[in-house]
Amino acid sequence: MHNRYAKKDGQSFMEQALFEAKAAQERGEVPIGAVLVKDGAVIARAGNRTIELNDPTAHAEILVIRQACDQLGSQRLPDCDLYVTLEPCPMCAAAISFARIRRLYFGAGDVKGGAVENGPCLYHQPICHHAPEVYSGFHEKECARLLVEFFKDRRE
């Protein structure tokens, strides 16, 4: 049995993803954070950097997948788990599948842009070659509140 609440230095993996989301917000980015874990250790961490890098693909999930693949010297991450503060979009959900990530844990659902439990539900489509185990709702209220407050501040 895997430990969805695994701690490192007293902080859960989702709490570490939230830290990355808050760091992204401080940079003026949409506050989404992710950590990628292998054998109980964080091997990659990132928050959104689309504005900073002028790259629409620089979502937190894509960045951690790139870091981990580079570090491990492989395009596949079958023994890795991804923790992300928001339900992945179609691009990120596909990248998670292509990387063969074992488990996906996410905080808040995304009715407008999500592709895992909302929208196209990519992992339930016949075109999907690999579907990770999916667990949702981790620190959901805090993850959602961070995004709601960010966009509220932007509108004001």
Side-chain angles (χ1 to χ4, degrees):
M1 182 76 179
H2 61 281
N3 183 357
R4 293 189 292 256
Y5 298 102
K7 302 265 185 181
K8 179 160 175 84
D9 300 325
Q11 190 179 49
S12 75
F13 296 133
M14 189 57 76
E15 288 169 337
Q16 292 179 56
L18 272 162
F19 176 84
E20 294 299 327
K22 291 171 186 173
Q25 181 176 18
E26 289 175 13
R27 294 189 305 271
E29 302 277 358
V30 174
I32 299 170
V35 296
L36 201 90
V37 176
K38 181 177 177 158
D39 299 327
V42 173
I43 61 169
R45 61 180 65 243
N48 276 8
R49 291 187 180 277
T50 59
I51 297 167
E52 175 186 340
L53 299 176
N54 293 314
D55 180 355
T57 70
H59 290 195
E61 301 96 319
I62 300 295
L63 296 174
V64 296
I65 289 170
R66 288 175 182 162
Q67 289 172 27
C69 287
D70 187 52
Q71 180 181 333
L72 299 174
S74 175
Q75 65 174 326
R76 303 277 190 252
L77 305 169
D79 299 322
C80 295
D81 301 332
L82 176 64
Y83 293 77
V84 62
T85 57
L86 183 67
E87 178 181 358
C89 71
M91 173 185 69
C92 293
I96 291 163
S97 176
F98 292 145
R100 307 295 195 264
I101 289 173
R102 176 178 52 194
R103 296 182 193 104
L104 166 65
Y105 301 90
F106 69 85
D110 186 356
V111 176
K112 288 185 178 180
V116 177
E117 292 182 350
N118 290 288
C121 298
L122 181 70
Y123 303 137
H124 298 289
Q125 300 303 320
I127 61 165
C128 183
H129 297 292
H130 167 78
E133 294 175 31
V134 176
Y135 303 91
S136 60
F138 292 87
H139 292 269
E140 182 175 16
K141 289 180 182 174
E142 187 176 358
C143 292
R145 184 175 55 249
L146 188 62
L147 286 157
V148 167
E149 290 172 2
F150 173 81
F151 287 111
K152 181 182 173 196
D153 290 346
R154 283 256 164 128
R155 285 190 299 273
E156 294 173 357

